Amino acid sequence: GEDVEQSLFLSVREGDSSVINCTYTDSSSTYLYWYKQEPGAGLQLLTYIFSNMDMKQDQRLTVLLNKKDKHLSLRIADTQTGDSAIYFCAESPGGSYIPTFGRGTSLIVHP
Amino acid sequence: DTAVSQTPKYLVTQMGNDKSIKCEQNLGHDTMYWYKQDSKKFLKIMFSYNNKELIINETVPNRFSPKSPDKAHLNLHINSLELGDSAVYFCASSQGLSGGAGELFFGEGSRLTVL
């Protein structure tokens, strides 16, 4: 099976919160990342969390990590149309900095 | 200044041809990568180089040959192109084993279409 799993689509109304979920299998992951890919562009790192943290907040973004369940989530508060993109979860296995990516969640924000 | 730049952005070619995609990074990073993104947006690592040395070579046909003339450049040459090679190819770089949180910096992608 895949090392990193995430649902493929999420649709939200503008102004609502979005929560994108991810599960991973490697319990020795050192870092967990969220990348954003806008149409026709490359991936850009949004945020990352170190494995000894439970939560990280950065303006409208909140990352929650449940190590026991190997579950990572990204919450976007007050979602805007400009947040429409594909969001990739990734994890870095222990001893290596080369991340494994999930299949990406397409976030669609409608008025 | 573009941190990771790759050329060309679009490439349309016939089956059987040979083509190259070039990548350059001006971030001073030690490690560079090639990823392939298919039509379903699945991102798969192909190669990784650290200081011009190949460190990862995933199960990729040997028609694909990376070349790193220096640590700022990683080019991808593809021989005898096949329809299934159509995808977007992303170059990326990172500080790699020398430090950092392992974050990758991606180029804008090169969309290859094989007819």
Side-chain angles (χ1 to χ4, degrees):
Chain A
E2 291 179 352
D3 295 325
V4 179
E5 290 192 11
Q6 45 183 135
S7 54
L8 294 181
F9 298 99
L10 177 65
S11 178
V12 300
R13 194 181 298 276
E14 192 174 14
D16 287 350
S17 291
S18 309
V19 180
I20 303 171
N21 294 302
C22 170
T23 56
Y24 59 97
T25 56
D26 191 341
S27 57
S28 63
S29 296
T30 308
Y31 292 97
L32 295 122
Y33 313 86
W34 284 105
Y35 284 82
K36 177 183 180 183
Q37 184 181 25
E38 294 183 358
L43 281 72
Q44 275 194 303
L45 181 70
L46 268 184
T47 186
Y48 67 89
I49 189 166
F50 191 56
S51 56
N52 68 354
M53 297 168 66
D54 297 324
M55 187 182 92
K56 181 177 180 181
Q57 189 150 3
D58 184 0
Q59 298 183 343
R60 291 191 297 123
L61 305 179
T62 303
V63 178
L64 295 177
L65 174 61
N66 181 329
K67 275 196 77 174
K68 175 175 164 289
D69 295 338
K70 299 192 187 70
H71 182 267
L72 181 75
S73 69
L74 173 70
R75 179 175 179 270
I76 306 173
D78 187 25
T79 314
Q80 302 298 307
T81 53
D83 295 323
S84 293
I86 302 175
Y87 290 81
F88 289 89
C89 172
E91 58 96 9
S92 172
S96 168
Y97 288 104
I98 298 167
T100 301
F101 286 85
R103 286 182 174 266
T105 299
S106 286
L107 175 65
I108 301 158
V109 182
H110 53 90
Chain B
D1 262 356
T2 306
V4 181
S5 58
Q6 45 183 119
T7 54
K9 193 170 170 67
Y10 299 97
L11 191 51
V12 181
T13 189
Q14 299 285 332
M15 259 195 322
N17 284 348
D18 303 338
K19 289 294 176 187
S20 292
I21 307 171
K22 294 185 175 182
C23 180
E24 176 182 4
Q25 55 96 1
N26 62 7
L27 297 166
H29 286 163
D30 288 339
T31 307
M32 295 185 72
Y33 312 80
W34 278 109
Y35 280 85
K36 178 180 180 181
Q37 187 175 47
D38 63 22
S39 57
K40 294 183 179 175
K41 305 299 183 185
F42 181 50
L43 203 63
K44 184 177 175 182
I45 188 158
M46 300 173 69
F47 301 102
S48 175
Y49 270 72
N50 186 66
N51 272 321
K52 303 193 297 173
E53 298 292 325
L54 180 66
I55 56 171
I56 282 185
N57 181 356
E58 293 294 313
T59 308
V60 175
N62 58 15
R63 297 181 295 103
F64 290 79
S65 52
K67 282 194 171 52
S68 183
D70 56 61
K71 76 171 194 177
H73 295 83
L74 180 62
N75 304 322
L76 183 65
H77 188 75
I78 316 169
N79 288 328
S80 304
L81 278 156
E82 299 178 358
L83 294 177
D85 298 332
S86 296
V88 181
Y89 293 84
F90 285 101
C91 177
S93 72
S94 73
Q95 286 184 271
L97 301 176
S98 63
E103 62 264 43
L104 298 185
F105 293 78
F106 283 83
E108 292 284 292
S110 296
R111 181 176 292 276
L112 172 65
T113 304
V114 183
L115 303 174

